[in-house]
Amino acid sequence: MKKYIKIIAPIAALLLSFGTTSCTSDLDVTPIDPNKNTELNASSLFNMCYSNFALEGDGPGSSNIAAEDPGTAGLVRQLFNINCLGTDEAICAWSSDPGVTTLNVNQQDASNMMVSIYYNRLYFGISICNQYLEAAADVDATQTAEIRFLRALQLYLAMDAFGNIPLATAVTPELPQQKTQAEMYEWLEKELLEIEPNLSEPKAKTSTDANYGRVDKAAAWMLLSRLYLNAEVYTGTPQWAKAAEYAKKVIDSPYKLYNSEKNGYSAYAQLFMGDNGENGSSVEAIFPILQQGDKTAGYGCTFFLMAGCWKDDMTSNGTNGNWQGNRAHKELVGMFFPNNDAPNITSADMPVVAGDDRALFWGQDRTLEIDDPYTFTQGFSVCKFNNIYASGGTATRTDFPDTDFFFFRAAEAYLTYAEATARQNGGTTTSEGASYINQLRMRSHAATKSSYSLQDILDERAREFYFEGQRRVDLIRYGKYGGTNADYVWTWKGGTATGRNFDAYRNIMPLPASDLSVNGNLVQNPGY
């Protein structure tokens, strides 16, 4: 059973209480009933800053669609939509959803609802953090550093997806000013370096440990390493040495790769199972987003990553969700079967044939080719996330999962270090970088090599992190996403079955029309 950061009511409650642009003075009201306590509950607001990552509710600008499908407002769900759909990883069969259909083929515009929800979800979370920092920054130095980190993480995600964004760092009626991607990079670096000393020392935890789910210094190192790894995209100037430096801090921390098999489940599979907070795999979880079916019932986090990928002809995922939506492009499956010989077998047998525990695909009664994007059985199903307990225990519910989402995993530091040092080494891994990749591959019983090219590393990232919300960022860094000269196409890239390149301006998303209409400080990203 998880020991939780106390999670308070749905996100919409905060909107009703504060609004997104309220001043601190708005909270200083004299109650009509003198027996009522109107003091700010700093603990509840602190918990709300975390729960925004885990729960859904109606964030600003998302209420229309969330009213019909509450889970659509979930941050993890939209992280997937923005960073996995429209790449060589995933395609969705929901033809009735125009927000999804245009993301599938890289044709989103400023009116795309999924793009708007992701943007508004992030800025809603940022506003909650600003509320805490305005009202309770002097309560506890470590908690304040944590909230500044959560704000920085959401600003990073916004900067990465939307490029030139409003920088909102205070509770004020004044509309925030727009900053360039390079300016945001500079702000984020300074902010993370400033708060890192006040964060807790790194400590790998399980769900029965105090403070499981809260960030520590390793989270700041992970975000800095990701920021530096993509610095050339954001600023035009690479920072490979810094990316390697901060990745190494994580590697040398108490967070480690999980390597223990249990009851027939591979170490890799356990990272995404219902008891991943308890089965030992959380030694790898630098920032777990907490889920427990009887406390966080919702459709926008790991339940989406299960139900959205499942059909009722598959072995149970431990829930009753079979939404028949997202599945794998043949290019992702081809990372495990480079000879285009992936078999039509179940997910129980697929890793054995692939020679890699990470090949968690269902090919039975599926086709590898996707001639129709909206036929779910075209494309292999992805069985990565489930609500089954590796320990043999029973989940708290079968309609909502207990599976935490590991936002940062130690594995990312291993591959970041390998790539950053390879880029300093003429495009080939150093011996240490190759060793780190081999540790990942040995964990998954895959064959190892003495050295790896940059392309090998990109492919390894696909095998390790598919459906975890990283692929768009990786493809952009390698020059393989937008751009008429990109040297890589995949099925349905740009809207054709065989794939075609699209303009580089689509490397970042459009600012939502809804925000442009109310904030005169904003200018739409070029091309939209």
Side-chain angles (χ1 to χ4, degrees), residues 57-69 72-73 113 116-118 120-121:
D58 293 358
S62 67
S63 57
N64 290 339
I65 193 166
E68 299 175 5
D69 180 1
T72 307
M113 182 58 75
S116 296
I117 293 174
Y118 184 55
N120 289 317
R121 186 87 225 166

Side-chain angles (χ1 to χ4, degrees), residues 374-388:
Y374 306 107
T375 299
F376 180 75
T377 53
Q378 293 186 21
F380 279 21
S381 297
V382 173
C383 304
K384 187 168 182 173
F385 291 85
N386 64 68
N387 193 35
I388 298 166

Side-chain angles (χ1 to χ4, degrees), residues 294-306:
D294 61 353
K295 295 181 182 292
T296 61
Y299 303 94
C301 195
T302 49
F303 187 46
F304 167 76
L305 297 172
M306 301 171 199

